[in-house]
Amino acid sequence: MGIKFELFHQEKDTSARLGKLTTRHGEIETPIFMPVGTQATVKSLTPEELKEIGAQIILANTYHLYLRPGSKLIAAAGGLHQFMHWDRPLLTDSGGFQIFSLSELNQITEEGVYFKSHIDGSRHFISPEKSMEIQMELGSDIVMAFDECPPYPSDYNYVDKSLELTLRWAKRSKEAMTAEDQALFGIIQGGIYPELRQKSVEAMVEIGFPGYAIGGLSVGEEKELMYQVLDFTTPLLPTAQPRYLMGVGTPEDLIEGVLRGIDLFDCVMPTRIARHGAVYTSRGRITVRNAEYERDFTPLDEQCNCYVCRNYSRGYIRHLLNRKEILGIRLTTYHNLHFFLALMHQVRLAIKRDQLLEFRKEFYRNYRI
Amino acid sequence: MGIKFELFHQEKDTSARLGKLTTRHGEIETPIFMPVGTQATVKSLTPEELKEIGAQIILANTYHLYLRPGSKLIAAAGGLHQFMHWDRPLLTDSGGFQIFSLSELNQITEEGVYFKSHIDGSRHFISPEKSMEIQMELGSDIVMAFDECPPYPSDYNYVDKSLELTLRWAKRSKEAMTAEDQALFGIIQGGIYPELRQKSVEAMVEIGFPGYAIGGLSVGEEKELMYQVLDFTTPLLPTAQPRYLMGVGTPEDLIEGVLRGIDLFDCVMPTRIARHGAVYTSRGRITVRNAEYERDFTPLDEQCNCYVCRNYSRGYIRHLLNRKEILGIRLTTYHNLHFFLALMHQVRLAIKRDQLLEFRKEFYRNYRI
């Protein structure tokens, strides 16, 4: 199925677990955070920099790459790895989430989705088969099944109906994914409804995938509600396969997710807020472009020893951001991703020692949400 | 005077010369090209990347840094080197050129220049003494005298009068520059008029500076005219001091300038055109964002072995540029500066072998202007 997943350790008092995912492009230690490279680039950084800060796998967006430059062009370039000069594992989403959140939807049918591009209004149709075709052209190591993503909030009956469609699409995705070196993950939907999450898990496991994603979270619901959904959903999932919580989240979400048994995360947050001049520090998030940092010649985070914190001050980075200098965005992006990846490294160490709850306590001693 | 200049070799058949400039921040091989870091950053690149492509000295703009973030703030940060994390030599201009080209001029008096900021319309006054004060706060290794920059074309009488003012300002600049580890260069003006260039050189040399810049060129005149001005100006300059041709130029201008005895160059061209999607190659300049490169999976320049050309294709870089992805600008900027610095490296090797004329011939065999 393209990947191998090994579990090394399961914490005694929590659902946190330590594992290793092996793909044809190398190994991934889990739990892990995946930086997002929407348009075949993790915004502002080179692959070498991503490796320097410990990125083991990155994510790219099928919807964006299908529209521009086109998956056929990327296939002609030798696939996405070759196109973007990234030789480590790559995960692509199915395009579903972006079709439902970015494009102008025309019609959802049994066959697939008709939509207009958010860029030029051009008309497109994507089905499970088409999504698999695109992802095979991209050549990612982990491929996501095509799903419908109902908006939040949606009522029980709508989510139930949508879930059924997603299940039929998951079966078709599996049939259509014929590349032996690409691993297809199923996506659990069901909104905030325990029975629907259970129904989704059972049916997806029956279809059988080498990994399962939890979709439809971090879409506007309260954090506590998201954690509750994880509380009742992850225990239903088989332990032998990796679990991926899609589009989540903040540092606290990562810790809470790992405690509930999640292995993979992705989120645009660290790269997006970096472009708006905000950075994560061991004391919480700060907006370094604010006037209060004008004459602050200390590093972004005194506790951090990344390239940025070793060499640049808040005052300098503020100057760059306010002058709209590209280097400013590079430095905040680099630091934020380093923060997330270093956090996950610490989380893995803590799990190894059965100390993740202590780690969480220690983390919140300084960190203000 | 803060610097030492040694000449190792003078070509037999041309005015090209090989030298070494020593500053408290290290040595510079001449002739050399200086990347421009207007706002305390060479746009999009880190200091480490600049070193990787062979930058030995960079330039920063006094006018911009005086306005934002302010030279006093930079002094408080420990000076410009510390502020921007660059430990090699730095040259700052006097602010004159930008006051005359960017700001809204109010009045030029014997004392100095009254102008309004091009950013917020705030009122400012800069004199030779003020320019020296700012440049001392910045702490650059090479400092430029404050000069008036007449527009092109200007008539003989105007240029003559302006020249006299620039000479009086040069004397005052010299008196005001009291930092022993900063070397002040005088600027030769005189427009396109041989007698005025001669007058300027003689008076500047009489004042006495550890280096001389040729100003007022590459401001709209024909290339041939610029080369003519160099033809009659550089032979008048003392051979023992370095000569800096300000704001010049293209690859061909560098070669022509070196042949006429120039040691230092700076220009925003390679970084500016990079941001517009144009790159230099051994066959000439190409606009890689054009549609013709969409499916071109060869490097920017087949003859180049820089980081960019080793790892990325024209098609990928075009995709990034068209998606306004920062990495696109980083890659074109890196490549263009590498092109300029590698060219100057080749030029120095050619001078060493007394083969610069042959080198020029060979260069133009492929390179189309």
Side-chain angles (χ1 to χ4, degrees):
Chain A
M1 296 295 274
I3 57 163
K4 188 174 76 175
F5 184 57
E6 299 160 89
L7 274 176
F8 297 128
H9 185 66
Q10 167 70 59
E11 267 212 335
K12 292 185 205 87
D13 305 328
T14 78
S15 298
R17 56 215 218 133
L18 205 64
K20 188 173 77 179
L21 195 56
T22 306
T23 78
R24 70 187 157 135
H25 284 97
E27 298 175 351
I28 305 151
E29 299 170 281
T30 62
I32 193 93
F33 175 79
M34 303 183 280
V36 179
T38 296
Q39 312 209 83
T41 166
V42 173
K43 289 193 190 303
S44 88
L45 301 184
T46 62
E48 284 76 10
E49 286 162 342
L50 290 168
K51 290 179 182 179
E52 201 172 89
I53 56 180
Q56 300 185 23
I57 173 171
I58 63 173
L59 180 152
N61 289 119
T62 288
Y63 171 81
H64 290 86
L65 295 176
Y66 159 72
L67 290 177
R68 297 185 304 195
S71 49
K72 299 218 181 300
L73 183 144
I74 291 175
L80 187 52
H81 286 89
Q82 171 78 12
F83 185 59
M84 69 181 291
H85 174 52
W86 173 255
D87 58 10
R88 290 190 179 175
L90 258 174
L91 181 150
T92 45
D93 59 12
S94 70
F97 184 77
Q98 277 75 25
I99 292 174
F100 290 99
S101 60
L102 285 182
S103 81
E104 188 187 327
L105 265 188
N106 283 354
Q107 209 191 347
I108 308 173
T109 69
E110 183 64 33
E111 188 55 22
V113 188
Y114 294 85
F115 63 96
K116 283 187 191 161
S117 158
H118 73 292
I119 301 154
D120 60 5
S122 56
R123 289 160 187 276
H124 300 272
F125 170 71
I126 290 190
S127 60
E129 291 75 17
K130 181 70 187 174
S131 172
M132 295 307 112
E133 181 189 322
I134 298 168
Q135 292 184 80
M136 284 192 277
E137 283 164 346
L138 298 176
S140 45
D141 301 281
I142 299 176
V143 164
M144 301 306 296
F146 192 65
D147 61 336
E148 194 203 336
C149 309
Y152 175 82
S154 289
D155 66 37
Y156 187 96
N157 287 337
Y158 183 86
V159 175
D160 191 17
K161 222 181 119 190
S162 162
L163 178 61
E164 298 278 356
L165 181 63
T166 287
L167 285 171
R168 293 190 296 275
W169 285 358
K171 272 182 212 153
R172 285 167 52 194
S173 293
K174 186 174 173 181
E175 277 162 32
M177 177 44 64
T178 53
E180 287 191 359
D181 50 3
Q182 294 181 274
L184 175 67
F185 280 24
I187 303 177
I188 308 300
Q189 290 289 356
I192 57 168
Y193 307 106
E195 311 91 280
L196 296 184
R197 286 284 174 182
Q198 178 161 8
K199 182 176 169 181
S200 179
V201 169
E202 286 170 1
M204 281 290 174
V205 170
E206 192 172 320
I207 301 172
F209 293 95
Y212 297 93
I214 300 178
L217 290 180
S218 201
V219 287
E221 77 284 3
E222 292 288 310
K223 267 193 191 304
E224 279 311 314
L225 189 52
M226 175 172 87
Y227 299 154
Q228 281 169 31
V229 173
L230 292 182
D231 280 332
F232 61 68
T233 306
T234 48
L236 304 170
L237 286 165
T239 53
Q241 279 86 38
R243 300 145 172 185
Y244 161 31
L245 180 53
M246 300 181 84
V248 175
T250 60
E252 57 274 21
D253 290 342
L254 299 191
I255 296 173
E256 298 306 321
V258 170
L259 282 166
R260 288 163 176 81
I262 300 296
D263 306 300
L264 297 157
F265 300 85
D266 81 283
C267 191
V268 295
M269 191 75 77
T271 40
R272 179 175 291 164
I273 73 167
R275 296 196 298 282
H276 296 124
V279 293
Y280 293 98
T281 80
S282 49
R283 294 176 174 277
R285 189 172 142 169
I286 66 168
T287 302
V288 70
R289 48 182 314 167
N290 286 352
E292 61 185 301
Y293 302 109
E294 187 177 14
R295 285 171 175 271
D296 184 341
F297 301 121
T298 64
L300 290 179
D301 184 358
E302 290 279 11
Q303 301 301 313
C304 178
N305 76 341
C306 81
Y307 164 74
V308 178
C309 291
R310 288 197 314 272
N311 297 306
Y312 303 93
S313 69
R314 291 170 170 188
Y316 178 62
I317 293 169
R318 177 184 185 271
H319 160 72
L320 294 177
L321 292 168
N322 279 295
R323 295 294 74 74
K324 302 194 191 311
E325 286 286 354
I326 282 175
L327 184 59
I329 290 175
R330 284 185 59 181
L331 299 181
T332 52
T333 302
Y334 184 104
H335 170 82
N336 279 354
L337 284 179
H338 177 272
F339 185 90
F340 271 55
L341 292 162
L343 172 66
M344 293 308 274
H345 179 72
Q346 292 300 319
V347 162
R348 288 192 299 271
L349 284 180
I351 297 172
K352 204 169 183 177
R353 297 173 188 147
D354 279 313
Q355 290 179 343
L356 188 55
L357 290 173
E358 290 87 336
F359 174 83
R360 176 173 66 172
K361 203 172 151 191
E362 192 57 40
F363 180 77
Y364 285 123
R365 195 189 302 278
N366 296 310
Y367 190 86
R368 287 194 200 167
I369 295 173
Chain B
M1 295 298 274
I3 56 163
K4 189 175 77 175
F5 185 57
E6 298 160 273
L7 274 177
F8 297 127
H9 185 66
Q10 167 70 61
E11 267 212 335
K12 292 186 204 86
D13 304 329
T14 78
S15 298
R17 59 220 213 126
L18 206 62
K20 186 173 76 178
L21 195 56
T22 306
T23 78
R24 68 184 159 135
H25 283 98
E27 298 175 349
I28 304 151
E29 300 169 279
T30 62
I32 193 92
F33 175 80
M34 303 183 280
V36 179
T38 296
Q39 312 209 80
T41 167
V42 175
K43 289 193 191 303
S44 89
L45 300 185
T46 62
E48 285 76 10
E49 286 162 342
L50 290 168
K51 290 178 181 179
E52 200 173 271
I53 56 179
Q56 300 185 25
I57 174 172
I58 63 173
L59 179 151
N61 290 117
T62 287
Y63 171 83
H64 290 86
L65 295 176
Y66 158 73
L67 291 177
R68 297 183 307 193
S71 48
K72 299 219 183 296
L73 184 144
I74 291 175
L80 187 53
H81 286 89
Q82 171 77 13
F83 184 60
M84 71 182 290
H85 173 52
W86 173 254
D87 58 9
R88 289 189 181 176
L90 258 173
L91 181 149
T92 46
D93 59 12
S94 69
F97 183 76
Q98 277 75 25
I99 293 174
F100 290 99
S101 59
L102 285 181
S103 81
E104 188 187 326
L105 265 188
N106 285 352
Q107 208 190 348
I108 307 173
T109 70
E110 183 64 31
E111 189 53 22
V113 188
Y114 294 85
F115 63 96
K116 283 188 191 161
S117 157
H118 72 292
I119 301 155
D120 59 6
S122 57
R123 288 161 188 278
H124 300 271
F125 170 71
I126 290 189
S127 61
E129 291 76 15
K130 181 70 186 172
S131 172
M132 296 306 112
E133 181 191 322
I134 298 168
Q135 292 184 79
M136 284 191 278
E137 285 165 345
L138 298 176
S140 45
D141 302 280
I142 300 176
V143 164
M144 302 306 298
F146 192 64
D147 61 336
E148 195 204 336
C149 310
Y152 175 83
S154 290
D155 67 36
Y156 186 95
N157 288 336
Y158 183 87
V159 175
D160 192 16
K161 222 180 119 191
S162 161
L163 178 60
E164 297 278 356
L165 182 63
T166 287
L167 285 170
R168 293 190 295 276
W169 284 359
K171 273 182 208 148
R172 284 166 55 193
S173 293
K174 187 175 174 181
E175 277 162 32
M177 177 43 64
T178 53
E180 287 192 357
D181 51 3
Q182 294 182 273
L184 176 67
F185 280 24
I187 303 177
I188 308 301
Q189 291 288 355
I192 57 168
Y193 307 106
E195 310 92 280
L196 297 183
R197 287 281 173 184
Q198 179 160 8
K199 181 175 171 181
S200 178
V201 169
E202 286 169 1
M204 281 289 173
V205 170
E206 192 172 319
I207 300 171
F209 293 95
Y212 297 93
I214 299 177
L217 290 180
S218 201
V219 287
E221 78 283 3
E222 292 287 312
K223 268 193 191 303
E224 278 310 315
L225 190 51
M226 173 171 90
Y227 299 153
Q228 281 169 31
V229 174
L230 291 182
D231 280 332
F232 60 68
T233 305
T234 48
L236 304 170
L237 286 165
T239 53
Q241 279 84 39
R243 300 144 173 187
Y244 162 30
L245 179 55
M246 301 181 83
V248 175
T250 59
E252 56 273 20
D253 289 342
L254 300 190
I255 295 173
E256 298 306 320
V258 169
L259 282 167
R260 288 162 177 83
I262 299 297
D263 305 302
L264 297 158
F265 301 85
D266 81 282
C267 190
V268 295
M269 191 74 79
T271 41
R272 179 174 291 164
I273 71 166
R275 295 196 297 284
H276 296 124
V279 293
Y280 293 99
T281 80
S282 51
R283 294 177 173 277
R285 190 173 142 168
I286 65 166
T287 302
V288 70
R289 49 182 313 166
N290 285 353
E292 63 186 297
Y293 302 109
E294 187 176 14
R295 286 172 173 269
D296 183 340
F297 302 120
T298 65
L300 290 178
D301 183 359
E302 291 277 12
Q303 301 301 313
C304 178
N305 76 341
C306 80
Y307 164 73
V308 178
C309 290
R310 288 198 313 273
N311 296 306
Y312 302 93
S313 68
R314 292 171 169 186
Y316 179 62
I317 293 169
R318 176 183 185 272
H319 161 70
L320 294 177
L321 292 167
N322 279 296
R323 296 293 74 75
K324 302 195 192 310
E325 286 286 355
I326 282 175
L327 184 59
I329 290 174
R330 284 184 61 180
L331 300 181
T332 51
T333 302
Y334 184 104
H335 170 81
N336 279 354
L337 283 179
H338 177 273
F339 185 90
F340 271 54
L341 291 161
L343 172 65
M344 292 309 273
H345 178 73
Q346 292 300 319
V347 162
R348 289 193 299 272
L349 284 180
I351 297 172
K352 202 169 184 176
R353 297 173 188 147
D354 280 314
Q355 290 180 344
L356 189 54
L357 289 173
E358 289 86 338
F359 174 82
R360 175 172 67 172
K361 200 172 153 192
E362 193 56 38
F363 180 77
Y364 285 124
R365 194 189 301 278
N366 296 310
Y367 190 86
R368 288 197 199 166
I369 296 175

